[in-house]
Amino acid sequence: MDFFSLVLYLLLTTTLLTLLSLLTRSRVGPKLPPGPAPLPVVGNLLKLGDKPHKSLAELAKIHGPIMSLKLGRKTAVVISSPALAKEVLQNQDLAFSSRTIPNAAHAHDHDKYSVVWLPVADRWRSLRKIMNSHIFSGSRLDANQNLRQKKVQELIDYAGKCCQDRIAVDIGGGVFTTSLNLLSNTIFSVDIANPNQDSAKQFRDLVWQMMVEAGKPNLVDYFPALAKIDPQGVRSRMTDYFEKMFELFGRLIDERLELRRLGESCGETDVIDILLNISEENNEEIDRTQIEHLCLKLASVTRKFPISNSIWFGTMELLILSLYILFTITLVLALLSLLRSSKPSPKLPPGPVPLPVIGSFLKLGDKPHKSLAELAKIYGPIMSLKLGQKITVVISSPALAKEVLQKQDLAFSSRTIPNAAHAHDHDKYSVVWLPVADRWRSLRKIMNSHIFSGSRLDANQNLRQKKVQELIDYAKKCCQDGIAVDIGGIIFTTSLNLLSNTIFSVDIANPNQDSAKQLRDLVWQMMVEAGKPNLVDYFPALAKIDPQGVRSRMTDYFEKMFELFSRLIDERLELRRLGESCGEKDVIDILLNISEENNEEIDRTQIEHLCLVCIFFPCSLH
């Protein structure tokens, strides 16, 4: 639950900062071209859709050839006419030359060394001159003509071999490999996509990882306030990749320097040789750090090929929509918290001061029993905790436990119902969740008298012994076969089969029976779902939204369980109609007998819900 609490707290903080920013910002903004009205926080990001070029064309029809868009916290001006494009890119090129630097490019200060991100100044001009004169000059490109022809031929040969072998041609992979090897030979005189060379393979994989990371939308680029948090971890991962790249470059440069020291040559002069020559002549023009960053930029040129804009913007749309929903939820919760705080609160035991919205969740930590013991030392054996929007009273002494559970048991008998238990109105039929009243007493009487009575348990003694023996036999077989004993799995299977035989006279963990296997899997899925923390249980205002989908999934599971129960009950009713018997009376027989005698005491719907309780809750204890 810590994770969800932390997320909510961060969102609350972001929301408050955003509101403060909006309140303190000057009302008179810069004069901008027309554009669509932005939504709070996310601006016009949702207007872009999964085909931004088409969306922008449609928006241009409404707002004209020059328009402004609010992308998160960033303002963008979009031009869509040849005349304006010429004005911006040719006549006013210096004014528009510096581009916005993505947050990931700040990793390892890459923005301070890269010719791509540097502003137009002396450093940029120097690097651009080196690239134009020594790397991408006409003579250099002519010298690499044979290399380009060779790599293109390798690509053609690859496609031809795929056709001969009748396998699909991986166009994207082939182009990527060819481009990468062409660049790597130009820079290092080595095929970095050659799996037979460790350093080359490492380089190839790193470039690919950088491509994947660079292709992901990054919220920080549109919401700079999140930069220190780095919520998606893009900059963190890019920092790791850059570090590995620079380690690899450092090793390759050291190897080249050693070859030069020994007077050896790797063939024709490549980019590394050229850059090292320039550095030796004038270290101020380009030093080793700048060489490494320049190599990084040259090596990452290939990243433009496989990135899909539709995937990029589709993912961004999903992220922004999620952020917008969470922002709205957080704002609603904050307002509700403020409204409730204005009302007089009941007199409660002492406890830690709750944080806004999330209360004392963060106090629980990952070991709540230990955290509660420590808190009890401070606030005493009875204390109150605010968990989200719920107030919980915690007792931690034998005397108080006896008072609550024994002397005041009726006052404390009704428990808080988790939201998932409302699925299929289970809370209205389940003996676990019903309040202490006539319906609850009737169901409890049936369970005590007919299901969990002493005589019933005695009658099932042989069954229990049989299932325990099966458990022991399984453990022995695992030992004989030299394989690990799945203690948790076999205890779950044994418990499930014991319960299912008591209720339905069938092993539901027997994979040879379809209905049995289905029931086993459903019980397991329900256990997994019930074990997940659900925000709705602590923030009831979210119930209709069901943000984690817990209740929705539990509704599906319950529906499948009830369909299965209904089929089993119909089969049993058919056997009873035909006068056949499945052996000793099981729970279904007992419940059907009671229902036939007095349908008001328990009807079919209640039988199905009672079967669910008998199967699910004992298993969940394991």
Side-chain angles (χ1 to χ4, degrees), residues 15 75 140 181 230 383 504 547 581:
T15 302
T75 301
R140 186 68 195 168
N181 282 340
D230 190 21
M383 62 181 172
F504 302 112
S581 172

Side-chain angles (χ1 to χ4, degrees), residues 18 36 47 54 56 105 156 189-190 194 260 273 286 291 350 353 406 422 430 465 502 509 536 579 586 604:
T18 303
K47 292 279 187 182
K54 290 188 176 181
L56 291 174
I156 295 170
S189 299
V190 66
N194 179 0
R260 289 159 67 95
D273 275 325
I286 189 167
I291 289 174
V353 178
Q406 185 174 335
H422 292 281
S430 171
Q465 289 176 343
T502 303
V536 176
D586 51 23
R604 179 155 175 166

Side-chain angles (χ1 to χ4, degrees), residues 4-19 41 322-338 356-358 389 535 539 541-542 545 547:
F4 297 108
S5 304
L6 188 58
V7 168
L8 275 174
Y9 194 58
L10 289 173
L11 283 170
L12 173 66
T13 306
T14 305
T15 302
L16 294 176
L17 289 173
T18 303
L19 291 174
V41 182
S322 301
L323 181 69
Y324 192 59
I325 291 171
L326 287 171
F327 170 82
T328 306
I329 291 170
T330 307
L331 190 58
V332 169
L333 289 174
L335 290 172
L336 287 173
S337 180
L338 290 172
V357 182
I358 64 172
Q389 297 302 303
L535 283 175
F539 303 94
L542 301 177
I545 302 172

Side-chain angles (χ1 to χ4, degrees), residues 291-348:
I291 289 174
E292 291 175 353
H293 281 272
L294 187 57
C295 289
L296 176 65
K297 183 45 59 184
L298 292 173
S300 61
V301 169
T302 52
R303 76 182 184 193
K304 292 183 174 66
F305 289 107
I307 302 303
S308 167
N309 279 337
S310 63
I311 294 174
W312 197 97
F313 280 97
T315 308
M316 174 57 83
E317 187 176 22
L318 179 62
L319 283 170
I320 295 303
L321 185 59
S322 301
L323 181 69
Y324 192 59
I325 291 171
L326 287 171
F327 170 82
T328 306
I329 291 170
T330 307
L331 190 58
V332 169
L333 289 174
L335 290 172
L336 287 173
S337 180
L338 290 172
L339 289 173
R340 288 177 180 174
S341 64
S342 63
K343 298 178 182 179
S345 57
K347 191 174 181 180
L348 294 169

Side-chain angles (χ1 to χ4, degrees), residues 27 38 43 147 157 249 276 390 423 462 469 598:
R27 294 182 180 273
L147 175 62
D157 293 342
F249 291 152
L276 290 175
K390 295 282 187 177
N462 291 336
Q469 187 59 50
N598 183 2

Side-chain angles (χ1 to χ4, degrees), residues 103-104 216-222 230 232 234-235 312 316:
N103 184 259
K216 293 178 182 177
N218 190 358
L219 285 175
V220 176
D221 294 332
Y222 301 95
D230 190 21
Q232 295 166 253
V234 174
R235 180 169 175 176
W312 197 97
M316 174 57 83

